[in-house]
């Protein structure tokens, strides 16, 4: 098992029980995982994907350029390093999803295809997932008082169809398939067009793979998300203190308690 | 009760009423979407939970570990710990969208979620803290119920849960159980509080919160806030009941507790300096600290968090005469409490102002809505109201006298 700082924090506070649940937070490392490919070289920013998504999810069909309880996906445009950049924003379907770990009542689940979805009938509306997400994706729906976000059309994907946005894109900017194959495709496009691939390692490997003309993380288009295998040695000092200190403090606390008891 | 007393209670009742109006607005009439997920309501919850943990530590220090001085405030601290925690649940439950679905905490727990553990541990804490308090006051409540008449008698009977035992053995047994309950409550409180810190500290995406020191610092904040609360409330209740403060309490406050309080405030200043200097190494964290120390939040940061919340209280506590007067201690703790609330507010709000995924620049701005403010002030008013009634009704200090007499 790889040790990350986060696992360490948890190890210190949670019990063996909680660790046995840790597997649910990880996407099964298997061929079963699917992914969406976003090709930033092909995207023209027509927002047809947004429209298709709204049709499928019966959301009000006005365009928005921000994620909201009524918009699960949109494309944003900007200029970075003299290049025009278009980025598709929606849930990334992280392989190690903080939203899924955060939800106290397991309203967020991972489907067989690897996509992460919210069971809104189960959600209590605590909004922890909203705060926890690396990418600020889930949004609170004040009308229904639950959290909402893109679900990767996991229901139709399991029946062998493509997500609605992928199906709708007329410019071949979106693609869908087995995650391994999508990564290969992304790498090929990047090589040909001199672009950058994003999403292979971030947050346990994303369910959306990007090919963009610029390095998105470097330019702050995406927040910096720790790659799964990177270890920051300095972090361990704190956890080491914690792991050593807790039993010592606990020991003295109990000892003092018993001593005072005898004195009674 | 004096006229002023009635006016005070009337005022509190009005604020509580307004709070109820705020709850109705949020729950049933519907409000604007809050631009940040965790708003003023969560700030108030976290603030009160921190205070409650600190009060529990103080109570346990006196009751379980028999530390000198702390013993005289053990009952008061336990009582305050319980009511602050109960009141802390109010803004939390108002914030949660579907309170009716909260049984999912039991039916489909996510043991991997800090939020779940926090809920579980705080419930545990509340139960044991209540048990501790009950064993602490049972003897005196039984006594009071024998002395009192009418409605008061019934109230005491209910509080004592029908117990009438006034023997010396029962007193010893009470002490034993109170200690055991307090001991468990302490562990529940510390782990609950650590988990509350972890809720924030484990979020990689929120650089201001992230870090493994945060949960520890949460516990230190708790002790600080606990001290401030016990100083403030004890002094105030002596003022309003117009009694002379017992020498022991006064000595404890102006001696040990004052020094500890001053030390902890000084430590937090050092911790701040360390945090800020560390953040320079880390771009994302520095971004937030920059917002606080030189950005749009700088005025409130320096004025409330640092000057009012830390420097002035520290100066008062260290001042040879002001620090030894009750007036000085009162001012210092009041300012400190105000400063801590602003600290918690800024800490929670600022971390959420950065849109995480956007090509567009710009920060999210948030101002608390009116219903939110009403609910939070209503909660504080309710707390004050329960306390005001509590100090008149419950034996929050006699225990010490009685045990001494028995011994
Ligand atoms: S992008 Fe956010 S909402 Fe989507 S899976 Fe990752 S953490 Fe969850
Ligand atoms: S808002 Fe809903 S989905 Fe999100 S963490 Fe809370 S209960 Fe889970």
């Amino acid at each position: 098992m790889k040790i990350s700082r986060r696992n360490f924090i948890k190890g210190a506070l949670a019990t063996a029980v909680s660790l046995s649940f840790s597997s649910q937070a990880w996407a099964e490392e298997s061929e079963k995982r699917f992914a969406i490919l976003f090709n930033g070289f092909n995207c023209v920013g027509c927002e047809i994907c947004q429209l298709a998504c709204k049709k499928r999810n019966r959301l009000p069909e006005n365009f928005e350029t921000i994620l909201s309880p009524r918009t699960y996906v949109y494309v944003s445009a900007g200029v970075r390093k003299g290049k025009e950049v278009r980025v598709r924003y929606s849930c990334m379907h992280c392989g190690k999803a903080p939203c899924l770990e955060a939800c106290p009542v397991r309203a967020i689940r991972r489907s067989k295809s690897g996509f992460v979805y919210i069971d809104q009938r189960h959600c209590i509306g605590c909004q922890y997932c909203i705060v926890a997400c690396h990418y600020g994706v889930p949004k609170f729906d004040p009308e229904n008082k639950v959290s909402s976000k893109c679900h990767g059309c996991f229901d139709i994907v399991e029946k062998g169809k493509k997500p609605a946005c992928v199906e709708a894109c007329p410019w071949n900017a979106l693609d869908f398939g087995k995650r391994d194959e999508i990564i290969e495709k992304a790498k090929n496009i990047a090589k040909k067009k001199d672009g950058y691939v994003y999403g292979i390692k971030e947050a346990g490997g994303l369910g959306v793979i990007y090919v963009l003309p610029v390095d998105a993380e470097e330019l702050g288009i995406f927040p910096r998300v720790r790659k799964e295998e990177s270890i920051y040695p300095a972090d361990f000092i704190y956890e080491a203190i914690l792991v050593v200190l807790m039993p010592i403090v606990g020991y003295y606390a109990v000892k003092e308690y018993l001593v005072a008891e005898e004195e009674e | 009760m004096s006229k002023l007393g009635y006016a005070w209670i009337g005022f509190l009742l009005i604020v509580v009423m307004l709070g109820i109006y705020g709850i109705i607005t949020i729950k049933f009439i519907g409000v604007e979407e809050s631009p940040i997920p965790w708003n003023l309501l969560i700030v108030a919850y976290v603030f009160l939970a921190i205070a409650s943990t600190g009060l529990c530590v103080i109570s346990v220090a006196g009751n379980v570990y028999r530390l000198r001085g702390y013993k005289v405030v053990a009952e008061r601290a336990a009582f305050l710990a319980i009511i602050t925690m109960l009141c802390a649940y109010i803004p939390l439950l108002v914030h949660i969208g579907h309170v009716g679905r909260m049984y999912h905490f039991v039916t489909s727990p996510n043991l991997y979620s800090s939020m779940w553990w926090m809920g579980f541990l705080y419930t545990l804490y509340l139960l044991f803290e209540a048990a501790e308090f009950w064993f602490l006051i049972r003897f005196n409540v039984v006594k009071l119920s024998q002395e009192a008449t009418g409605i008061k008698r019934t109230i005491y009977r209910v509080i004592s849960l029908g117990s009438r035992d006034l023997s010396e053995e029962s007193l010893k047994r009470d002490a034993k159980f109170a200690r055991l309950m307090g001991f468990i409550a302490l562990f529940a409180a510390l782990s609950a509080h650590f988990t509350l810190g972890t809720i924030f500290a484990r979020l990689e995406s929120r650089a201001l919160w992230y870090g493994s020191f945060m949960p520890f610092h949460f516990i230190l904040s708790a002790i600080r806030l606990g001290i401030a609360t016990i100083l403030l409330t004890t002094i105030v209740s002596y003022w309003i009941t117009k009694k002379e403060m017992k020498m022991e309490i006064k000595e404890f406050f102006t001696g040990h507790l004052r020094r500890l309080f001053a030390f902890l405030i000084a430590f937090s200043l050092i911790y701040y300096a360390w945090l800020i200097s560390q953040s320079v190494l880390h771009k994302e964290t520095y971004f937030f600290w920059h917002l606080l120390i030189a950005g749009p939040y700088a005025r409130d940061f320096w004025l409330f968090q640092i000057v009012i919340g830390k420097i002035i209280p520290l100066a008062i506590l260290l001042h040879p005469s002001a620090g030894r007067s009750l007036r000085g201690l009162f001012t210092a703790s009041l300012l400190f409490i105000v400063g801590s609330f602003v600290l918690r507010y800024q800490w929670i709000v600022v971390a959420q102002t950065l849109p995480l995924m956007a090509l567009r620049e710009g920060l999210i701005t948030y101002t608390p809505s009116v219903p939110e403010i009403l609910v939070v002030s209503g909660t504080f008013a309710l707390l004050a109201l329960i306390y005001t009634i509590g100090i008149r009704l419950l034996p929050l200090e006699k225990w010490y006298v009685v045990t001494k007499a028995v011994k």
Side-chain angles (χ1 to χ4, degrees):
Chain A
M1 198 180 104
K2 285 198 190 82
I3 305 169
S4 73
R5 178 180 185 174
R6 196 189 298 190
N7 276 342
F8 235 101
I9 296 184
K10 274 176 213 152
L13 79 98
T15 56
V17 198
S18 106
L19 285 176
S20 67
F21 270 71
S22 65
S23 57
Q24 66 148 334
W26 281 92
E28 306 253 311
E29 281 304 328
S30 72
E31 325 73 60
K32 272 193 241 151
R33 235 182 127 186
F34 285 88
I36 294 171
L37 173 75
F38 174 76
N39 184 344
F41 290 99
N42 283 2
C43 177
V44 298
C46 63
E47 305 278 358
I48 286 180
C49 50
Q50 189 183 139
L51 195 67
C53 171
K54 288 185 163 169
K55 275 222 169 88
R56 159 110 229 271
N57 291 301
R58 298 208 186 85
L59 298 165
E61 290 178 15
N62 54 325
F63 283 110
E64 282 191 294
T65 50
I66 187 167
L67 291 179
S68 79
R70 298 159 301 274
T71 306
Y72 298 164
V73 60
Y74 75 97
V75 171
S76 184
V79 176
R80 288 288 189 284
K81 286 210 162 155
K83 286 179 195 158
E84 202 169 329
V85 185
R86 286 202 181 76
V87 182
R88 171 191 187 274
Y89 284 138
S90 86
C91 176
M92 301 288 210
H93 302 284
C94 311
K96 189 173 178 0
C99 61
L100 196 151
E101 288 177 14
C103 179
V105 295
R106 286 197 275 164
I108 305 192
R109 311 210 174 116
R110 189 180 295 285
S111 70
K112 280 186 220 118
S113 49
F115 288 141
V116 179
Y117 67 96
I118 300 176
D119 181 348
Q120 293 191 329
R121 283 162 310 176
H122 204 88
C123 168
I124 60 169
C126 69
Q127 313 191 29
Y128 190 23
C129 54
I130 304 178
V131 183
C133 171
H134 290 309
Y135 298 96
V137 168
K139 295 286 170 203
F140 190 63
D141 176 351
E143 230 164 84
N144 303 314
K145 299 197 186 321
V146 290
S147 194
S148 65
K149 73 173 187 70
C150 156
H151 40 67
C153 291
F154 73 96
D155 47 344
I156 54 172
V157 162
E158 271 160 25
K159 288 183 195 136
K161 285 198 195 150
K162 289 178 181 174
C165 54
V166 178
E167 195 70 69
C169 179
W171 308 99
N172 203 15
L174 292 175
D175 201 350
F176 174 79
K178 290 260 156 67
R179 190 165 180 272
D180 302 339
E181 290 162 21
I182 288 289
I183 291 176
E184 278 316 303
K185 272 190 193 172
K187 281 183 179 161
N188 286 339
I189 301 170
K191 212 185 269 169
K192 252 188 252 159
K193 304 228 169 147
D194 194 20
Y196 296 80
V197 182
Y198 180 85
I200 300 180
K201 288 267 164 66
E202 283 76 10
L206 302 182
V208 182
I209 305 290
Y210 287 81
V211 192
L212 296 172
V214 292
D215 188 342
E217 198 183 83
E218 199 57 47
L219 296 177
I221 293 172
F222 294 128
R224 195 171 293 277
V225 175
R226 201 171 283 218
K227 318 249 185 321
E228 127 210 359
E229 73 275 7
S230 48
I231 288 177
Y232 291 53
D235 296 350
F236 287 111
I237 297 168
Y238 309 151
E239 271 83 20
I241 296 172
L242 187 131
V243 169
V244 173
L245 215 62
M246 284 296 232
I248 296 178
V249 172
Y251 172 75
Y252 278 103
V254 175
K255 206 175 126 189
E256 282 297 311
Y257 173 73
L258 294 175
V259 167
E261 181 80 34
E262 272 164 25
E263 278 170 9
E264 284 291 303
Chain B
M1 212 166 26
S2 64
K3 261 191 197 145
L4 207 66
Y6 281 114
W8 168 241
I9 292 196
F11 166 73
L12 290 178
L13 276 174
I14 293 173
V15 183
V16 171
M17 289 303 190
L18 287 172
I20 295 173
Y21 170 73
I23 295 179
I24 294 171
T25 324
I26 293 178
K27 284 283 177 200
F28 303 107
I29 301 175
V31 282
E32 288 272 301
E33 224 169 297
S34 171
I36 57 172
W38 281 354
N39 50 28
L40 184 67
L41 296 171
I42 294 296
V43 175
Y45 163 70
V46 174
F47 179 80
L48 289 173
I50 291 177
S52 177
T53 311
L55 289 161
C56 167
V57 171
I58 292 175
S59 158
V60 168
N63 169 37
V64 177
Y65 292 105
R66 298 278 191 258
L67 292 185
R68 263 241 243 119
Y70 290 93
K71 268 192 263 185
V72 287
V73 290
E75 289 84 3
R76 191 186 298 277
F79 176 60
L80 279 165
I82 297 166
I83 60 174
T84 21
M85 200 58 223
L86 283 174
C87 287
Y89 277 117
I90 297 172
L92 181 71
L93 293 181
V94 174
H95 182 261
I96 281 181
H98 285 277
V99 177
R101 291 183 190 166
M102 279 181 64
Y103 65 88
H104 287 315
F105 264 86
V106 182
T107 55
S108 100
N110 179 5
L111 298 190
Y112 208 47
S113 161
S114 316
M115 177 86 81
W116 189 88
W117 281 102
M118 182 200 67
F120 171 71
L121 289 166
Y122 267 135
T123 312
L124 210 65
Y125 156 65
L126 205 53
L127 290 177
F128 282 102
E129 187 63 46
E132 184 202 4
F133 181 61
W134 188 79
F135 281 114
L136 278 177
I137 62 164
R138 187 203 62 92
F139 188 87
N140 289 310
V141 170
V142 173
K143 261 191 152 177
L144 283 169
S145 79
Q146 289 177 347
E147 289 159 14
T149 48
I151 177 91
K152 264 196 169 176
R153 192 188 177 100
T154 326
I155 294 176
Y156 287 130
R157 278 276 153 79
V158 172
I159 298 176
S160 66
L161 301 176
S163 154
R164 302 218 173 147
D165 201 347
L166 276 176
S167 61
E168 220 168 281
E169 282 81 64
S170 77
L171 195 56
K172 283 208 178 109
R173 196 193 54 216
D174 279 358
K176 216 178 162 112
F177 276 115
R179 295 194 61 223
L180 183 63
M181 296 297 132
F183 182 69
I184 302 173
L186 175 72
F187 270 78
L190 291 184
S191 29
H193 203 60
F194 196 82
T195 318
L196 177 61
T198 311
I199 284 188
F200 296 96
R202 70 189 259 199
L203 301 183
E204 255 180 271
S205 53
R206 312 280 170 178
L208 190 62
W209 297 340
Y210 184 67
S212 24
F213 262 176
M214 203 48 86
F216 286 107
H217 191 243
F218 248 63
I219 288 176
L220 282 185
S221 312
I223 298 176
R224 270 196 296 266
L225 197 54
I227 294 177
T229 318
I230 201 75
L231 283 174
L232 185 88
T233 49
T234 314
I235 295 173
V236 167
S237 51
Y238 272 96
W239 280 347
I240 50 178
T241 50
K242 294 217 179 67
K243 276 189 216 144
E244 186 68 26
M245 187 181 269
K246 284 197 205 75
M247 220 37 226
E248 268 151 318
I249 306 185
K250 201 167 173 186
E251 263 169 27
F252 172 57
F253 277 6
T254 53
H256 174 80
L257 211 56
R258 176 181 66 88
R259 283 193 298 271
L260 181 65
F261 194 23
F263 170 76
L264 288 174
I265 296 180
F267 181 82
S268 83
L269 277 172
I270 298 171
Y271 176 75
Y272 255 61
W274 179 78
L275 263 188
I276 295 172
S277 65
Q278 282 283 304
S279 72
V280 178
L281 300 173
H282 193 258
K283 209 175 85 194
E284 278 83 6
T285 323
Y286 182 70
F287 173 83
F288 286 110
W289 280 109
H290 188 79
L291 287 180
L292 282 171
I293 57 181
Y297 301 97
R299 195 198 64 203
D300 290 354
F301 175 81
W302 290 109
L303 183 65
F304 285 101
Q305 285 203 39
I306 303 295
V307 177
I308 292 183
K310 299 212 160 77
I311 309 260
I312 300 181
L314 191 60
I316 294 176
L317 292 173
L318 294 180
H319 191 273
S321 63
R324 288 194 168 76
S325 72
L326 292 184
R327 224 171 267 276
L329 286 179
F330 169 80
T331 321
S333 40
L334 182 66
L335 291 181
F336 179 81
I337 290 174
V338 172
S340 329
F341 191 82
V342 176
L343 181 152
R344 221 28 80 198
Y345 178 85
Q346 291 203 316
W347 186 68
I348 290 183
V349 167
V350 173
Q352 300 175 66
T353 53
L354 179 71
L356 292 170
M357 202 157 78
L359 270 178
R360 296 165 300 128
E361 317 283 339
L363 295 171
I364 299 165
T365 49
Y366 164 73
T367 12
S369 71
V370 177
E372 282 164 20
I373 296 173
L374 288 183
V375 172
V376 170
S377 43
T379 307
F380 280 102
L382 184 65
L383 192 54
L385 192 63
I386 302 177
Y387 183 71
T388 317
I389 298 171
I391 52 175
R392 280 169 194 283
L393 216 57
L394 296 171
L396 292 181
E397 246 154 41
K398 276 187 204 153
W399 163 263
Y400 183 59
V401 183
V402 173
T403 10
K404 248 174 96 178
V406 168
K407 273 183 184 166

